[in-house]
Amino acid sequence: MFSARTNWHLQPNNLAQLLAEKKNGGNPILDLTISNPLQAAFAYPVEAIRNVLSKPASISYSPDPIGLLSAREAVAQYYLAKHIVVDPLQIVLTASTSEAYTFLFKLLCNAGDSVLVPAPSYPLFEHLAQLDHVETKAYQLRYDGEWHIDFSSIRNALTSSTKAIIVVSPHNPTGMFLKAEELAMLNSIANNAGIALIIDEVFADYGFDDDARRAESTAANNSSLTFTLNGISKSCGLPQLKLGWIVASGEGASEALQRLEMIADTYLSVNTPVQVALAELLELSATVRAQIQSRTRQHYHFLKQQIDTDSPLSILNAEGGWSAVVRIPNTKSEEEWAIELLRESGVYVHPGYFFEFSTNGYLIVSLLTAPEIFRRGVGEIVKLIR
Ligand SMILES: Cc1ncc(COP(=O)(O)O)c(C=O)c1O
């Protein structure tokens, strides 16, 4: 009765089972996997957000498939503040960045075509692609004290069915930023292969420092057909308001935009209140963004300080984002370490294999976690993995 592509293995894994048991038993959990900023003890301008969401225009409905002009102008303004000039006509609003991916898969891929995705990476790509009958092929990120794109693995993964290369910058969970030199290589590969770049910048506002080698936002990249993704779930810490966007640039962008308009028109999925409020939401959320920036940086440095040189643990260098990668001893599997941490210390972390790390030996912790929980959780990890 059901489609083959929804034939998922839905059994909870051992870690999820133990977590449920612990929670049902009323045991306190030090949850270091939080990715929802609304559950991480940040101070939101609650009244002001409520006010901008209850404007009279929120009750009107005159949809524009690519998003209300005022909202697209607000997105253009977001880029202008970064000295990037984007025409509102290059922008398509979506109900989330995840939805932006599905629009792009429909735009670029026939059933059975493929897109290249980074490994490690956050696991949603495979599901998003599969639901649109698209295959994912992994290319590798390589760590030698900092993370790099392994271009030979991109070349090896390219086939005649490849339609796009997906890059996440800064990357989840490694924190790698795309460098200008790497973008130049990607442009050249994309042009030679006649394919598009999809650059996910949802964590772009969360760098730990400045690095002159970094590529500026690809919203201004005209050297190949490029789709730059972002949204307010990370940039404003407002995932519940459901708004993302695509900026199309480079040769072929105008035809792409016409087709994207038809795709968006089929769903009209972005709600009016969030579009009407967007300009003010982007301004109001500056304080939330600043709190997230400061916390993620502090937690990253705190984590590094907690690890002595003789510890069996180490923290992989990161440049930004909301996560940190902890290297752990290979004496047990990642899942065994994660289960032991949860059982013995009540600390919940994700094993690296959730994020498609190709070898054993990593745990991922969320830098978004509320400070008290983060410090206690990290203390327990350091104590247990001696
Ligand atoms: C790299 C990356 N892209 C996109 C998303 C999804 O963003 P949205 O909430 O806008 O769908 C996430 C969510 O964690 C993410 O990590």
Side-chain angles (χ1 to χ4, degrees):
M1 191 184 286
F2 302 113
S3 68
R5 69 187 186 285
T6 58
N7 195 12
W8 293 299
H9 178 71
L10 293 174
Q11 292 306 327
N13 59 40
N14 294 340
L15 185 60
Q17 270 175 30
L18 178 61
L19 182 67
E21 276 167 38
K22 284 258 178 192
K23 282 188 174 165
N24 291 341
N27 300 288
I29 308 288
L30 296 169
D31 186 348
L32 302 195
T33 69
I34 291 278
S35 61
N36 178 354
L38 292 156
Q39 290 175 352
F42 292 110
Y44 281 79
V46 176
E47 269 312 304
I49 292 175
R50 271 200 202 120
N51 286 340
V52 297
L53 287 170
S54 60
K55 290 180 179 184
S58 296
I59 311 300
S60 65
Y61 190 50
S62 359
D64 180 331
I66 59 172
L68 297 181
L69 178 61
S70 63
R72 286 182 287 111
E73 282 171 345
V75 174
Q77 193 55 43
Y78 166 85
Y79 286 104
L80 202 55
K82 298 172 188 276
H83 311 290
I84 304 280
V85 178
V86 172
D87 188 321
L89 284 172
Q90 288 174 264
I91 298 167
V92 178
L93 300 188
T94 59
S96 64
T97 316
S98 300
E99 188 182 64
Y101 279 109
T102 76
F103 282 11
L104 292 174
F105 294 155
K106 292 179 208 316
L107 171 74
L108 298 168
C109 300
N110 292 315
D113 283 344
S114 62
V115 292
L116 304 194
V117 297
S121 200
Y122 98 119
L124 204 63
F125 292 133
E126 206 180 311
H127 288 275
L128 288 169
Q130 190 183 30
L131 287 171
D132 271 311
H133 306 272
V134 173
E135 285 181 23
T136 54
K137 295 236 159 61
Y139 69 89
Q140 301 303 311
L141 303 183
R142 197 167 35 79
Y143 184 76
D144 62 5
E146 69 174 5
W147 288 94
H148 308 274
I149 293 177
D150 179 343
F151 280 96
S152 63
S153 73
I154 290 198
R155 290 194 192 90
N156 290 340
L158 273 174
T159 66
S160 56
S161 70
T162 308
K163 290 301 167 75
I165 304 174
I166 296 177
V167 176
V168 183
S169 175
H171 178 261
N172 175 9
T174 67
M176 179 200 79
F177 265 93
L178 179 66
K179 310 297 180 300
E181 210 173 64
E182 291 176 325
L183 177 58
M185 298 266 275
L186 288 167
N187 280 326
S188 145
I189 293 173
N191 284 326
N192 285 340
I195 61 176
L197 298 180
I198 300 176
I199 315 285
D200 178 334
E201 296 184 339
V202 295
F203 294 109
D205 292 307
Y206 304 106
F208 299 153
D209 52 26
D210 293 319
D211 182 337
R213 297 171 306 158
R214 269 174 215 162
E216 59 180 11
S217 168
T218 54
N221 184 41
N222 284 315
S223 304
S224 63
L225 177 58
T226 305
F227 300 98
T228 302
L229 312 187
N230 205 333
I232 64 171
S233 96
K234 312 289 190 275
S235 70
C236 301
L238 295 170
Q240 83 287 18
L241 294 185
K242 305 306 296 175
L243 185 114
W245 62 81
I246 303 168
V247 182
S249 58
E251 201 183 329
S254 37
E255 181 170 357
L257 283 159
Q258 283 170 16
R259 292 175 183 234
L260 280 170
E261 180 168 350
M262 275 303 290
I263 297 170
D265 201 9
T266 311
Y267 298 97
L268 294 175
S269 51
V270 191
N271 70 81
T272 300
V274 74
Q275 296 188 63
V276 169
L278 187 60
E280 281 154 295
L281 287 172
L282 284 163
E283 270 176 35
L284 281 172
S285 60
T287 59
V288 178
R289 195 155 44 241
Q291 291 172 67
I292 300 178
Q293 278 161 352
S294 137
R295 184 181 296 172
T296 47
R297 284 174 196 175
Q298 277 174 23
H299 280 5
Y300 173 68
H301 293 299
F302 173 81
L303 198 52
K304 290 219 137 192
Q305 281 159 11
Q306 295 311 297
I307 312 294
D308 302 330
T309 42
D310 57 352
S311 168
L313 297 172
S314 60
I315 308 302
L316 300 201
N317 294 324
E319 300 163 71
W322 289 7
S323 313
V325 182
V326 184
R327 191 181 271 147
I328 49 171
N330 247 324
T331 45
K332 289 180 195 171
S333 75
E334 292 162 343
E335 184 164 74
E336 284 166 341
W337 277 122
I339 285 177
E340 193 170 329
L341 275 165
L342 185 55
R343 183 176 294 126
E344 305 302 325
S345 317
V347 178
Y348 179 42
V349 292
H350 281 147
Y353 78 87
F354 280 14
F355 293 81
E356 318 286 340
F357 277 73
S358 56
T359 56
N360 183 56
Y362 302 97
L363 297 177
I364 312 302
V365 298
S366 164
L367 299 173
L368 208 60
T369 316
E372 167 68 12
I373 296 172
F374 189 77
R375 290 208 194 95
R376 282 172 49 208
V378 170
E380 295 295 337
I381 296 174
V382 171
K383 208 160 46 171
L384 189 112
I385 311 184
R386 277 240 166 88

